[in-house]
Structures are given as C-alpha cells and as structure tokens.
Amino acid sequence: MRGARRERRARRLRRPVGSPSVSRIYLSPPHPSGREVELVRDAIESNWLAPLGPHVDAFERELSALVGVENALALSSGTAALHLALTVLGIGAGDEVACSTLTFAASANAIRYTGATPFFVDCDAATWTIDAALLDEAIAGRRRAGARVRAVVAVDLYGQCCDYDALQEVCAGHEVVLVQDAAESLGATYRGAPSGGQAALAAFSFNGNKIITTSGGGMLVGADPDLIAHARKLSTQAREPAPHYEHSEIGFNYRLSNVLAALGRAQLAVLGDRVAARRRINARYRALLADAPGISFMPEAPYGTGNAWLTCILVDPERFGADREAIRLALEAVDIEARPVWKPMHLQPLFSGYPVAGGDVSARLFERGLCLPSGSALSDAEQDRVVAALRSASCR
Ligand SMILES: *Cc1c(COP(=O)(O)O)cnc(C)c1O
C-alpha cells in the first residue's frame, strides 16, 4: 500500500505539470524513488540547512559501505571531487597528468585547475576506455621528452570500468598515481568488486543526468584516511583548528548541502534497482535492434558489469542508410533526445595544444557513436518509440 502510493507519487513528480500524454523523451532524466520529500522535509524541519549535518554524514557512510571504500567525502560536484583528488595528491604546476581523451571535459578541466598539464591517451575499441598499452608508451614518451608525469586520470565510460589490473601495472611501473573518474560508473563492478575502489582515489557525480542524483553533487572516496581528511579540510576553506579563522593553505567551498545529501540518501537506497533497470533497457535495445544493418553497440568488457548508464550505438552509415547525425535529427524531430558520444578532448579547441597518444579510435567513436535515451524510468512503449524513430531514419 505504502509502496504503491510512493510509486504513484514518484510518477507524478516525473511528469511536468501540464505536459501532454506523449511527452519528450530525455536522454537520462532524474528518477525519484518516492522517499525524497520525506528526507528533504526532515533536513528542513531539523534546521540543518548547511553544507554539513546528519544527512551528509549518513550519505558518506552509506556510500562508503556500498562501494567498499573506507573513507568518503560528500562534495558539491564530481568535478570538485576530481579537483580535490589531484590537489591532495600534490599535483600542481610543472606536473603532467595523463587523461582518457574520450571523456567529458570535467576530467581534463580538473587537471588544469591544479596548474598541471594534461596529455591525452586514446581508448581501446574493445572497451571504449583508456588503452593501457598506449598509456604505457605515452608516459614513457613524455618522460623522454623531459616531462614530470605524476598521475593518470582513468575514466569509466558510460558506466563501464577501465581495465584496472592493466592500469595499475602500468602506473606502478612508472611510479605514477592512479585516479578513477567514476562519475558515470556508480553501481558497476570490476572483477566482482564495486566501482570506486580501483584507484588511490575515485570521484563520483550526482549531477541531474547521472544514474542517481542530488540535483548536483559528488563524492570523493579513498582507502587512505589522511588524503580524505586533507580533502575535507580543503573543501571547507582550509580552516585550521582554531577558534578564530586561521588559514595556512588555499581552500575551496566545495561541501555538499545537508538538504541535497538527504536527496542523495533517498536515491542511493534504490541504486540496485536503477542499475537493473538500465541494464534491462540496454538488453532490450540490443534485442530490438539486433537485425538492424549497420547498428552495433558499445561492447561490454569481460572483466565486469557496467551500470549501463547510457546505451550507446555505433552507426555504419553505408550499411544502415543514414549517419549518426541523421538519426539524431530524426529522433529530435519526434521529441526524443539523443546525444553524440563524447567529443574527444584532443579534438576540443580548449585542449588542442596538448599532446595526444593515438586518437583515431575515439575520433571514430565520436563520428559514429550515439547515446540513446536510457533513463531508468523509460517505459517499454517509450523505448519502442525510440526504436521506431531510429529505424525510420534509414533511407533504405
Ligand atoms: C558528469 C561527469 C563529471 C563531472 O561531474 P559533475 O558532478 O557534473 O561535476 C566528470 N567526469 C565524467 C566522466 C562525467 O561524466
């Protein structure tokens, strides 16, 4: 009874007031569990309206337990988590940091915030994540050129983990530290372990389009309590322990609000359901499009299970009879949102001056790749609409 009421309320919350019955299908909209209002009300009524409080503490504990990493720090964004990760590792001006080129700009921006310089590494066509062999060569190459290479930012793409056994070997060989950009991979696994425990530090995002959301927020996790304690201090303006305001290093205002942490707890409680729903949607797209010529899917790596945050297809324009952009426009014409796969960083005007190892694999994925609506509340009927519109784009 309570459960049914909760579901109805959740459904009402998802539909904007006054929207027609056939509404726009978004790429990855928020999906309330139904407990958000109750927990946010508690945050308000208890008057913990601050970037600290009992919901922040509980959210950190609950996420830490779920990902199996001892220490967690709730922050205002995934980008802030990446920035603090690199900062507490001592990365700064004069250092170089390797980064997956196929990613969202935040991964590389965080490197620039520290004053360090990124260099980009192509992905492996079999996983769409950073190519470990190429990374090995790239670090050696930058070292030979005199660069002080200090760290690697490895990005778990569209909910699929990188091959961390291979990356850890490369990083150990070159004595560089590994940072996991797990913004897209909460709920995924690598060799049976939850995503987030594969590197010295990992960053999650709870932005509105991610698998669970606080409307905006992030979390930094790590096994080393000193690193997380330092990040915690930096996230609150780096106050020294003193009754007055005492500062000896540059701090930031990066903490998560207690109100948003309440939202996060309501969302985290249903993470398992959300992963199952997205994986089901992914499997259903594969089944529905199995006979579509020239359409293939992002491969699932054998070493783990992705959270299927976004389902991505590759379009062979000759075989399908339309290219990726024609399909995107055909979907948009019937009010369905789809997005090209991330434009690689080495092709971005902002990062065009930085070194890149390889680049053709990710450039081709950008040219041919399309992310389809993948929200965990997507109904079969809505998904059928997406598939019909996609097929109609072919001029065959
Ligand atoms: C979303 C995302 C981020 C940034 O997270 P925010 O919470 O939006 O700051 C970083 N890296 C990747 C790969 C992302 O997808």
Side-chain angles (χ1 to χ4, degrees):
M1 186 58 210
R2 270 176 67 87
R5 214 166 52 226
R6 213 173 256 169
E7 258 308 303
R8 271 201 306 281
R9 190 170 63 193
R11 229 175 294 133
R12 260 203 324 276
L13 285 172
R14 276 202 297 280
R15 196 171 52 231
V17 178
S19 67
S21 54
V22 177
S23 51
R24 179 166 173 81
I25 299 176
Y26 290 97
L27 189 69
S28 181
H31 183 178
S33 69
R35 280 201 70 201
E36 284 80 4
V37 172
E38 175 192 333
L39 289 174
V40 168
R41 176 179 293 127
D42 175 81
I44 294 167
E45 287 176 354
S46 64
N47 207 28
W48 281 101
L49 304 175
L52 83 173
H55 286 295
V56 175
D57 298 343
F59 189 35
E60 289 176 349
R61 272 198 314 274
E62 288 161 7
L63 185 126
S64 158
L66 201 130
V67 304
V69 179
E70 202 66 31
N71 309 284
L73 172 64
L75 295 164
S76 54
S77 71
T79 310
L82 286 169
H83 181 198
L84 289 184
L86 295 167
T87 303
V88 298
L89 290 168
I91 310 295
D95 295 332
E96 286 202 11
V97 178
C99 184
S100 307
T101 189
L102 190 62
T103 186
F104 179 50
S107 317
N109 283 340
I111 298 168
R112 294 292 287 115
Y113 294 168
T114 67
T117 304
F119 64 97
F120 298 106
V121 179
D122 208 352
C123 61
D124 181 339
T127 66
W128 297 21
T129 61
I130 193 166
D131 182 327
L134 195 58
L135 173 69
D136 195 17
E137 285 172 29
I139 296 174
R142 293 306 304 152
R143 286 257 166 87
R144 277 196 302 276
R148 199 164 76 202
V149 182
R150 296 279 318 281
V152 174
V153 174
V155 182
D156 299 338
L157 210 75
Y158 297 124
Q160 171 149 281
C161 285
C162 302
D163 188 356
Y164 284 103
D165 285 351
L167 292 182
Q168 271 160 1
E169 198 180 311
V170 169
C171 288
H174 293 285
E175 295 182 351
V176 299
V177 62
L178 184 58
V179 173
Q180 181 173 8
D181 181 345
E184 301 174 5
S185 68
L186 182 64
T189 66
Y190 179 76
R191 299 204 184 281
S195 172
Q198 285 71 38
L201 292 166
F204 292 110
S205 166
F206 312 118
N207 191 36
N209 62 347
K210 295 302 192 321
I211 192 156
I212 63 163
T213 184
T214 57
S215 72
M219 191 86 76
L220 178 66
V221 300
D224 182 340
D226 296 337
L227 288 180
I228 299 293
H230 189 194
R232 195 177 292 280
K233 177 188 168 197
L234 294 180
S235 72
T236 50
Q237 307 286 21
R239 276 191 69 184
E240 300 295 339
H244 59 276
Y245 286 89
E246 177 82 7
H247 304 276
S248 52
E249 57 185 331
I250 296 173
F252 306 92
N253 184 3
Y254 275 173
R255 278 295 258 168
L256 184 70
S257 156
N258 190 59
V259 180
L260 300 187
L263 256 180
R265 293 182 69 201
Q267 290 269 296
L268 192 63
V270 294
L271 176 65
D273 295 347
R274 299 302 182 248
V275 173
R278 293 210 190 224
R279 285 187 60 85
R280 183 185 158 275
I281 288 161
N282 181 282
R284 195 161 179 272
Y285 271 128
R286 286 174 190 266
L288 292 173
L289 290 166
D291 66 342
I295 300 292
S296 58
F297 286 80
M298 175 179 172
E300 182 161 35
Y303 50 65
T305 52
N307 67 12
W309 173 52
L310 295 182
T311 290
C312 305
I313 57 168
L314 281 183
V315 183
D316 177 338
E318 281 73 45
R319 290 182 56 223
F320 180 71
D323 65 8
R324 177 266 276 162
E325 195 52 12
I327 294 177
R328 192 187 69 75
L329 291 170
L331 293 172
E332 191 54 57
V334 292
D335 229 2
I336 297 170
E337 184 186 26
R339 291 276 180 138
V341 160
W342 298 126
K343 182 176 182 180
M345 292 305 108
H346 73 278
L347 299 179
Q348 300 285 356
L350 175 62
F351 296 115
S352 60
Y354 298 101
V356 58
D360 293 349
V361 176
S362 52
R364 191 177 168 81
L365 294 178
F366 168 58
E367 189 188 301
R368 298 192 158 196
L370 188 68
C371 307
L372 300 178
S374 306
S376 43
L378 189 76
S379 69
D380 285 358
E382 286 173 322
Q383 193 173 15
D384 292 344
R385 245 180 83 197
V386 176
V387 170
L390 192 158
R391 284 181 182 276
S392 76
S394 168
C395 52
R396 293 271 144 78

